Amino acid sequence: PAEIARATEIPQAVAACWRPPAPSGAEAWQATLRIAFAADGRVIGRPRIAYVSAPDAAQRQSLRVSLAEALQRCGKFRFTPKLGKVIAGRLFAIRFVLTGRS
């Protein structure tokens, strides 16, 4: 994976590891992931899914599982030393939106 030099690149780095479920129909599914990193790119603590919107409980759970698996798939992120120092310990809220097709 490429080295991440800007905080704005972090959501794309997480999304690159994500294998989202496919929404049925035309509804949109949404989730917000709250996460913090150490300067060396490790995830600090336990990431939290702060918001999930999907039509039913099974689909919401599927969305939660897919985000947890994405973080496992990503492993340790590669931050530039400068970015690592700036973001260490800061909490990020990353919003994911899936749009179904009818």
Side-chain angles (χ1 to χ4, degrees):
E3 194 171 55
I4 301 168
R6 295 182 181 158
T8 56
E9 297 171 357
I10 294 172
Q12 291 84 8
V14 175
C17 302
W18 189 33
R19 306 293 179 265
S24 57
E27 73 273 357
W29 294 10
Q30 298 181 43
T32 301
L33 174 68
R34 292 177 54 123
I35 190 169
F37 299 95
D40 67 359
R42 291 176 294 114
V43 173
I44 296 175
R46 191 172 189 188
R48 183 173 156 240
I49 298 172
Y51 174 79
V52 177
S53 173
D56 63 43
Q59 292 168 329
R60 288 189 294 275
Q61 182 62 21
S62 175
L63 190 51
R64 283 185 184 97
V65 168
S66 72
L67 288 170
E69 289 172 347
L71 293 175
Q72 290 176 347
R73 210 174 280 116
C74 283
K76 186 175 161 182
F77 291 85
R78 289 186 51 221
F79 299 137
T80 61
K82 183 177 178 181
L83 178 64
K85 287 178 186 177
V86 170
I87 68 163
R90 286 186 49 203
L91 188 60
F92 286 84
I94 303 171
R95 185 172 173 231
F96 295 85
V97 178
L98 291 171
T99 304
R101 299 175 189 220
S102 53

